[in-house]
Amino acid sequence: MLKKFPKTEQYDENWIHENWMGPNPLWLLEELCQHLELKPGMKVLDMGCGKGITSVYLAKEFGVTVFANDLWISPTENLKRFEEAGISDRVFPIHAEAHALPYAEGFFDAVISIDSYQYYGADELYFPCTLSKLVKPGGQIGIVVPGLTREFDQGYPQTLKKHWVGEMFSFHSKDWWRHLWEKTGIAEITACYEMENPKELWFPWAIWAQEHLRFDDVDFLNSDRNNDLSIIVMSAVKHE
């Protein structure tokens, strides 16, 4: 049975569908925020925000100031969405690549990334040399990424071999992700686990994308006969 996400249910489903770029990002964000302490006035970096619906959620639900950072989506387009949502005074659209971020060290109270961190953060240098430096001591970091239930010798389950190309090799297990951050000694991991029923979370997006974008995520999910796919939630607090 799919877990309920009461805060997300307050948002228009059509609006979510018009703007999502993967499994319902508000479901994933609502799950992550259970492990974060966000308060009005905090400065939050929303890394890989896509079309900005996670940024809208953060501003509305927690009263934080959000820097909505994305490489693929125009900041002008995102600004229009923020204006329509009535939160453009608290959410600032930024166009920047993950390795060339225009922010001062220690600027943010929290950094959040929903379904994008795997594209750049699987690099061993990214957390210690880039991301963690943007967060002030005692600040929070949280990600949700697609992944695997365990590591495989060839990097992927045999059932998914035909799908495993390019960026798919950034899919890892929760233990892999935990070790990636923990070994740096920079932050204390406060949560690291797999979400329940990951394919049920994934399928609504897959079905929609198959119809509207001609993606093959439905075949991808159906090929996972051994349930090796997961969605991983991880949060941490930077040491003082």
Side-chain angles (χ1 to χ4, degrees), residues 1-6 8-9 13 16-17 20-32 34 114-115 144-147 193-209 217-218 220-221 224 227 229-233:
M1 182 177 179
L2 185 61
K3 178 179 177 178
K4 298 296 184 182
F5 296 94
T8 299
E9 289 176 3
E13 187 175 19
I16 295 173
H17 290 179
W20 62 1
M21 297 175 67
N24 192 323
L26 299 193
W27 287 348
L28 308 186
L29 179 57
E30 187 168 343
E31 178 79 16
L32 175 64
Q34 296 177 45
I114 302 298
D115 195 14
V144 182
V145 293
Y193 62 93
E194 298 171 4
M195 291 185 71
E196 297 179 5
N197 304 315
K199 285 197 283 191
E200 289 188 38
L201 295 170
W202 213 316
F203 259 117
W205 151 258
I207 294 168
W208 183 91
D217 273 14
V218 171
F220 172 59
L221 295 175
D224 181 36
N227 294 319
L229 291 172
S230 69
I231 296 176
I232 296 160
V233 176

Side-chain angles (χ1 to χ4, degrees), residues 102-204:
Y103 311 110
E105 292 186 8
F107 182 71
F108 293 104
D109 298 288
V111 174
I112 290 169
S113 177
I114 302 298
D115 195 14
S116 76
Y117 193 77
Q118 68 276 12
Y119 294 126
Y120 43 86
D123 175 354
E124 292 209 18
L125 297 180
Y126 191 75
F127 182 75
C129 297
T130 301
L131 189 78
S132 65
K133 290 185 176 181
L134 302 179
V135 184
K136 63 180 59 176
Q140 303 166 83
I141 307 166
I143 64 172
V144 182
V145 293
L148 298 167
T149 58
R150 61 187 177 90
E151 296 298 304
F152 293 83
D153 290 341
Q154 69 270 49
Y156 53 85
Q158 191 62 30
T159 56
L160 295 174
K161 181 177 181 179
K162 70 175 181 178
H163 297 282
W164 227 260
V165 294
E167 64 194 28
M168 299 300 297
F169 284 96
S170 68
F171 280 33
H172 290 285
S173 67
K174 61 179 174 50
D175 293 335
W176 187 94
W177 281 107
R178 183 184 190 107
H179 180 63
L180 184 70
W181 286 11
E182 208 164 40
K183 68 183 180 182
T184 68
I186 292 171
E188 177 184 355
I189 307 299
T190 53
C192 184
Y193 62 93
E194 298 171 4
M195 291 185 71
E196 297 179 5
N197 304 315
K199 285 197 283 191
E200 289 188 38
L201 295 170
W202 213 316
F203 259 117

